Amino acid sequence: MTMSTATLDRETDVAVADEAAFATMLGRLNKLSVEKHFDAYVDIAWDDPDLALTPGDPRLHLPPSDPIAATDWYQALRPEERSVVAAYRFAACMRIGWHFENILQRGLLTHAFRSPNGASEFRYVQHEIIEESQHTLMFQEFVDRTGLPVRGMARTWRFLAETFVFRFAKLDPALFFIFVLGGEDPADHLQRSMLKDGLDHPLVERIMRIHVTEEARHLSFARHYLKREVPKAGRVRRRLLSISAPLVMGLMARMMLEPPSDLRRHVGLPRSVAKGAFRTPEGRQLRKDSIAKTRKLCRELGLIDRLSTPIWRALGVWDDAPTVA
Ligand SMILES: [Fe+2]
Ligand SMILES: [Fe+2]
């Protein structure tokens, strides 16, 4: 029997009270990783002419859930120009996505390297590394086929990630898994919204569908890991987590959702338009909604209090009327 993505989502509500329940959850994720996994070069028909990637192809356009699509700037473009913007936007998301996944894999490898014999999560962590590796192959193949000079993560982000994230993986795995959710939650939310809108280009659609299917397991693991670990943390560590969580979520949501500077330069998108698109009520709501599941988890774990709420607000990721209750 296979488990649907929706079922995995509902798992976030399952209390992981002890190691046995955690092991049961891992057993389900391990089984799914074996039964329902994808290979970048087996499960995508890259050379099917229908899947060809040509900037200018009218099947490439920004879906309505992307705040850039609603701007006057985008609306005023000719269809061929919109297509180039969309191709760059998808390619940029994919390259930033695999840069994040590369850091995630290295953190998971660090976690696995330090696992003792018999560690319950060892096998699943390795499954996840393999899946992220396939995602990286699929994303970069897409980027190369567009022929567009997308940069990926900004240099400052790469420096910060390479300097701090692996240390978190060693010193405080809970903080590392908050970072993991900071990347995976907004990307997953955006991809699900785009799939719901409908993507006309079959290659973009296929890649996003594969990714959303496998990410459901990764998100489930990170949430359950935090449910198991955070209750064990002492007062100082909890305080550190409660302050770091909104900072990580606020900054990562921006990185995963907003158009990077190389995209703006390549397609002539004014910075004011790009920034303005995320200051509209819809743009602000997208940012808040994109991390809603993690915010809810942090609340359940007691990581949101009088001291940390202003940080969530300041970073634009607090919601007084959340859609995920
Ligand atoms: Fe991934
Ligand atoms: Fe993932």
Side-chain angles (χ1 to χ4, degrees):
M1 193 180 93
T2 56
M3 200 191 299
S4 71
T5 300
T7 311
L8 276 170
D9 278 347
R10 284 197 297 278
E11 263 195 359
T12 54
D13 298 328
V14 176
V16 181
D18 53 28
E19 194 65 38
F22 188 73
T24 306
M25 180 276 302
L26 283 173
R28 283 203 297 273
L29 294 182
N30 286 337
K31 189 167 179 285
L32 275 171
S33 293
V34 172
E35 289 175 352
K36 199 173 183 182
H37 62 264
F38 299 89
D39 184 298
Y41 291 100
V42 172
D43 296 302
I44 300 176
W46 293 102
D47 295 325
D48 180 339
D50 198 39
L51 270 60
L53 270 176
T54 322
D57 183 337
R59 298 177 302 170
L60 287 164
H61 55 83
L62 294 181
S65 49
D66 186 337
I68 302 298
T71 59
D72 293 341
W73 174 85
Y74 182 76
Q75 292 296 326
L77 296 177
R78 293 195 311 269
E80 316 84 79
E81 293 170 327
R82 286 187 190 186
S83 170
V84 175
V85 173
Y88 205 108
R89 179 78 159 137
F90 293 135
C93 283
M94 291 191 202
R95 192 162 165 95
I96 291 172
W98 85 245
H99 275 171
F100 163 77
E101 290 180 338
N102 181 289
I103 290 159
L104 164 58
Q105 286 175 78
R106 287 190 264 170
L108 290 177
L109 280 167
T110 305
H111 193 75
F113 192 71
R114 297 162 69 88
S115 296
N117 289 333
S120 58
E121 69 257 39
F122 177 82
R123 176 180 158 186
Y124 178 72
V125 164
Q126 290 296 140
H127 279 309
E128 186 165 321
I129 293 164
I130 293 163
E131 287 165 12
E132 295 296 21
S133 219
Q134 291 292 344
H135 299 171
T136 298
L137 286 172
M138 142 179 117
F139 288 161
Q140 187 57 39
E141 184 64 38
F142 179 95
V143 170
D144 288 342
R145 283 174 185 252
T146 64
L148 292 167
V150 293
R151 176 197 61 191
M153 224 181 242
R155 226 169 259 177
T156 318
W157 274 106
R158 285 188 223 177
F159 171 77
L160 288 174
E162 292 205 288
T163 309
F164 295 110
V165 175
F166 312 126
R167 290 198 189 141
F168 297 163
K170 278 189 195 165
L171 297 172
D172 190 346
L175 188 51
F176 171 70
F177 279 101
I178 285 178
F179 162 81
V180 170
L181 289 175
E184 291 192 331
D185 209 3
D188 188 65
H189 180 84
L190 189 64
Q191 289 177 353
R192 280 169 191 267
S193 307
M194 288 181 172
L195 285 167
K196 216 184 275 175
D197 287 344
L199 290 159
D200 293 339
H201 196 290
L203 180 58
V204 180
E205 214 264 349
R206 179 76 178 136
I207 289 176
M208 289 205 185
R209 219 165 265 294
I210 288 175
H211 199 241
V212 158
T213 303
E214 296 202 323
E215 286 305 311
R217 295 197 283 270
H218 304 176
L219 286 157
S220 183
F221 174 69
R223 288 178 191 136
H224 283 96
Y225 183 88
L226 288 169
K227 283 186 182 185
R228 185 185 66 165
E229 289 302 308
V230 174
K232 296 180 197 164
R235 259 189 31 208
V236 175
R237 197 168 151 226
R238 284 178 80 85
R239 174 53 64 206
L240 206 70
L241 288 172
S242 75
I243 291 169
S244 322
L247 289 172
V248 170
M249 300 314 290
L251 296 173
M252 298 283 293
R254 279 174 174 74
M255 183 180 75
M256 301 311 277
L257 301 177
E258 296 184 17
S261 58
D262 61 311
L263 179 150
R264 296 201 310 263
R265 277 194 299 276
H266 188 84
V267 302
L269 166 63
R271 185 183 161 88
S272 57
V273 173
K275 292 284 165 200
F278 285 84
R279 290 195 189 114
T280 61
E282 294 78 16
R284 287 179 199 272
Q285 197 59 46
L286 173 68
R287 190 189 304 127
K288 293 171 186 175
D289 289 348
S290 76
I291 54 92
K293 289 175 187 161
T294 305
R295 192 176 55 234
K296 178 172 176 268
L297 175 68
C298 287
R299 190 190 286 285
E300 285 167 13
L301 294 174
L303 294 179
I304 299 186
D305 60 11
R306 261 186 323 116
L307 277 176
S308 62
T309 306
I311 312 176
W312 288 89
R313 275 189 203 284
L315 273 290
V317 283
W318 182 255
D319 198 349
D320 287 315
T323 46
V324 177

